[in-house]
């Protein structure tokens, strides 16, 4: 028998964005239904950010054991128990899972339905024995690993981020298709845990970021023994008679083969739109995801889409940001529009790679006066003490010193980019950053030093030099 529900909000998807909308709505006493067909917490908790960072943390400990001589500590080759690493990963997931659980959200007052959802028409969603007729709907179904149509790939066992964290045994030689953040993070983690690793990338590895900074990361990864083959297309996959996997590739030097024992496909993400009945609801979508306005509204005015399924930047914190925009619009009737220029991102390799705002290349394309400011980790006292001197900060400002963007490559870059995300969001200038007092000794000082270098460059201008000379003469 069908049960009809008429909440104020119906959320489809129990990942980061959907949970944020549901929790906020419930906190304001708004009736809300949350539908999730899989695991609560979505990709981030179960297959993405959380398990990958747990593996990276384990791998970093192994790396430090090998490279402790500079601190006066005898280095040792760690005995890696890969099944214990797996247990660590799943213990971290289990520790966080209660925060995203059905029980917690039911306790908050959210009606949770664990089933697949689809639009019956423009005003109705069906899930199991329920028919939901809400005032507003929010689609937050996320994305899944994109498996490209490479000949033979469907006949060869391969992993994606949804399955790689279930392995109890270390791969002898992991071959990775895709040199983006997921591929490179897992490449370094597996290498540090004892696997041989080869990455095959059709374009440039970490190609979304500033090439001046990615060069620092790629140099480190290659120094650790990871083989990175850029501008190399995979044209076929097969299983040799002896076992393992063989890739047929085409690069600048012609055709070749790459062999390994295991294969990980990290070639991007695909929006989860299949089976949602979007056409029945009048919701326009394509292969990139659901089409939305800057306010995250779809072509059906009753329906919003947030996070990966909305076809933009695919990060957990973006889904949370979208959730805030939608809550403002639905509950408070406030105007809210996505501003992608303020979204930071981090690739958690070692060294880390972080960015927010405009790059140097984008500033050149925009035209007009701008400045590029840099400061290196090697000129930072804390970095010297930690022997973490690889990397630098790079700031882009307009002609008057307003901060347009920031990129950092080096230790703790992901933590340090927070300040610069605030600076870009609030349109601060180098004067603001040069005027604050950072504690000593911290690596964050590189940001202030880079800001102060703006005034050093200004002092080299002829007019400023003449003014300084005048002041000295009569001062």
């Amino acid at each position: 028998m069908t049960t009809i529900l008429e909440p104020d909000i119906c959320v489809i998807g129990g990942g980061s964005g959907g949970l944020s909308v549901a929790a906020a709505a419930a906190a304001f006493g708004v009736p809300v239904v949350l539908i999730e067909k899989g695991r609560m917490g979505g990709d981030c908790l179960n297959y993405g950010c959380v398990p990958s960072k747990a593996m990276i943390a384990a791998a970093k400990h192994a790396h430090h054991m090998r490279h402790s001589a500079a601190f006066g500590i005898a280095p040792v080759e760690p005995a890696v128990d890969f099944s214990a690493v797996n247990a660590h990963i799943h213990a971290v997931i289990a520790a966080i899972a209660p925060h995203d659980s059905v029980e917690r959200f039911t306790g908050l007052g959210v009606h949770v339905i664990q089933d697949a959802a689809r639009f019956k028409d423009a005003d109705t969603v069906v899930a199991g024995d329920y028919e939901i007729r809400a005032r507003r709907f929010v689609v937050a179904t996320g994305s899944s690993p994109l498996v490209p149509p490479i000949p033979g790939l469907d006949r060869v066992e391969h992993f994606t981020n949804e399955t790689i964290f279930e392995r109890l045994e270390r791969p002898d030689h992991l071959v990775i298709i895709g040199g983006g953040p997921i591929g490179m993070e897992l490449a370094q983690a597996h290498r540090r845990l004892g696997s041989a690793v080869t990455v095959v990338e059709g374009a440039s590895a970490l190609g979304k970021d500033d090439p001046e900074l990615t060069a620092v990361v790629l140099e480190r990864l290659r120094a650790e023994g990871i083989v990175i083959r850029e501008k190399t297309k995979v044209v076929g996959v097969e299983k040799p008679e002896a076992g393992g996997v063989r890739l047929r590739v085409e690069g600048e030097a012609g055709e070749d083969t790459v062999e390994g024992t295991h294969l990980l496909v990290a070639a991007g993400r695909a929006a989860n739109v299949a089976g949602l009945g979007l056409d029945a609801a009048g919701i326009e979508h394509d292969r990139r995801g659901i089409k939305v306005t800057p306010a995250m509204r779809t072509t059906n005015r009753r329906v919003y889409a947030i996070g990966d399924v909305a076809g933009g930047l695919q990060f957990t914190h973006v889904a949370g940001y979208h959730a805030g925009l939608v809550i403002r619009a639905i509950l408070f009737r406030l105007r809210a529009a996505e501003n992608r220029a303020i979204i930071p991102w981090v690739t958690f390799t070692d060294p880390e790679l972080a960015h927010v705002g405009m790059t140097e290349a984008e500033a050149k394309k925009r035209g007009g006066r701008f400045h590029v400011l840099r400061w290196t980790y090697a000129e930072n006292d804390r970095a010297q003490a930690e022997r973490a001197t690889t990397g630098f900060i790079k700031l882009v400002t307009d002609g008057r010193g307003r901060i347009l963007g920031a990129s950092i490559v080096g230790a703790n870059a992901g933590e340090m980019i927070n300040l610069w995300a605030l600076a870009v969001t609030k349109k601060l200038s180098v004067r603001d950053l040069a005027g604050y007092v950072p504690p000593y000794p911290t690596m964050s000082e590189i940001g202030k030093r880079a800001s102060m270098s703006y005034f050093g460059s200004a002092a080299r201008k002829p007019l400023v030099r003449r003014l300084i000379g005048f002041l000295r003469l009569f001062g």
Side-chain angles (χ1 to χ4, degrees):
M1 182 176 178
T2 300
T3 300
I4 296 176
L5 302 176
E6 296 182 334
D8 200 60
I9 302 173
C10 175
V11 180
I12 304 173
S16 174
L19 294 179
S20 296
V21 172
F28 285 101
V30 174
V32 56
V33 169
L34 172 66
I35 308 170
E36 172 55 59
K37 67 178 181 179
R39 296 181 181 180
M40 292 284 282
D43 187 85
C44 178
L45 172 62
N46 298 290
Y47 318 112
C49 311
V50 172
S52 65
K53 302 313 166 282
M55 176 178 274
I56 288 169
K60 186 173 289 188
H61 280 282
H63 180 73
H64 288 167
M65 291 174 69
R66 296 186 185 100
H67 299 276
S68 58
F71 297 93
I73 300 170
V76 295
E77 181 59 34
V80 177
D81 182 343
F82 205 78
S83 64
V85 172
N86 179 272
H88 153 68
I89 291 170
H90 287 278
V92 173
I93 295 172
I96 299 172
H99 183 76
D100 295 346
S101 66
V102 172
E103 292 77 15
R104 175 174 181 264
F105 276 80
T106 299
L108 292 175
V110 178
H111 186 152
V112 181
I113 300 173
Q114 294 182 279
D115 215 318
R118 65 174 177 83
F119 282 92
K120 178 181 177 180
D121 53 43
D123 307 313
T124 312
V125 163
V126 175
D129 295 329
Y130 292 94
E131 211 172 82
I132 300 98
R133 301 169 185 172
R135 183 174 69 87
R136 293 287 184 266
F137 296 90
V138 179
V139 181
T141 50
S143 63
S144 297
L146 174 65
V147 179
I150 300 172
L153 182 57
D154 58 342
R155 297 189 297 274
V156 173
E157 182 182 7
H158 59 271
F159 298 102
T160 66
N161 72 289
E162 291 185 347
T163 56
I164 191 68
F165 300 111
E166 299 302 320
R167 280 199 59 80
L168 298 177
E169 296 180 357
R170 179 177 59 205
D172 289 335
H173 185 169
L174 182 64
V175 178
I176 301 176
I177 299 177
I182 295 174
M184 303 313 290
E185 287 179 4
L186 293 182
Q188 188 176 41
H190 279 86
R191 178 61 187 146
R192 289 180 166 187
L193 292 170
S195 299
V197 179
T198 301
V199 178
V200 181
E201 166 57 46
S204 298
L206 300 176
K208 182 180 65 177
D209 285 279
D210 186 324
E212 184 181 0
L213 284 81
T214 60
V216 176
V217 176
L218 297 180
E219 181 180 5
R220 170 71 67 81
L221 297 183
R222 288 185 166 111
E224 291 186 14
I226 299 170
V227 177
I228 305 172
R229 300 189 56 166
E230 300 178 273
K231 295 180 173 57
T232 302
K233 180 181 179 181
V234 181
V235 296
V237 181
E238 56 194 36
K239 183 176 182 178
E241 291 184 7
V245 64
R246 178 187 296 129
L247 275 58
R248 290 184 288 106
V249 300
E250 291 180 352
E252 295 176 332
E255 296 183 2
D256 196 2
T257 60
V258 175
E259 294 195 19
T261 59
H262 297 81
L263 177 62
L264 169 63
V265 178
R269 310 282 300 174
N272 291 331
V273 295
L276 289 176
L278 298 178
D279 293 332
I283 299 172
E284 194 172 340
H285 60 97
D286 58 24
R287 62 182 181 83
R288 291 184 298 274
I290 295 174
K291 294 187 177 182
V292 295
T293 67
M296 312 313 297
R297 213 163 198 163
T298 72
T299 48
N300 178 336
R301 291 186 57 80
R302 297 173 66 117
V303 182
Y304 294 81
I306 64 175
D308 288 7
V309 76
L313 296 171
Q314 295 180 326
F315 302 108
T316 297
H317 51 284
V318 171
Y321 168 55
H322 288 171
L325 297 178
V326 168
I327 284 293
R328 289 178 64 190
I330 294 178
L331 297 188
F332 304 108
R333 307 293 197 276
L334 296 174
R335 289 186 178 182
E338 181 188 29
N339 179 6
R340 294 185 183 178
I342 67 172
I343 301 296
W345 63 75
V346 183
T347 300
F348 292 93
T349 48
D350 179 13
E352 292 180 353
L353 180 60
H355 173 77
V356 65
M358 191 176 294
T359 64
E360 180 181 5
E362 289 168 340
K364 287 179 179 177
K365 186 176 180 180
R366 188 189 71 160
R369 291 177 59 228
F370 69 94
H371 301 280
V372 176
L373 312 173
R374 296 176 178 82
W375 202 267
T376 68
Y377 276 68
E379 295 177 274
N380 177 270
D381 294 355
R382 180 62 181 274
Q384 287 289 348
E386 298 281 347
R387 292 193 178 272
T389 55
T390 298
F392 60 95
I393 186 171
K394 181 177 180 179
L395 306 180
V396 178
T397 78
D398 65 14
R400 297 190 174 190
R402 182 169 67 90
I403 297 160
L404 302 176
S407 299
I408 310 173
V409 59
N412 303 323
E415 299 295 334
M416 288 193 281
I417 203 66
N418 284 282
L419 174 63
W420 300 99
L422 177 65
V424 171
T425 301
K426 296 300 182 180
K427 300 181 179 179
L428 302 182
S429 74
V430 289
R431 294 170 183 81
D432 298 311
L433 273 298
Y436 94 105
V437 181
Y440 174 86
T442 57
M443 293 182 185
S444 295
E445 289 179 282
I446 65 171
K448 178 169 182 173
R449 297 295 294 273
S451 298
M452 292 175 66
S453 71
Y454 173 87
F455 303 102
S457 62
R460 289 191 291 271
K461 295 180 180 179
L463 180 61
V464 176
R465 287 204 305 269
R466 287 198 296 271
L467 178 59
I468 291 173
F470 178 84
L471 291 172
R472 285 174 177 170
L473 182 63
F474 297 100

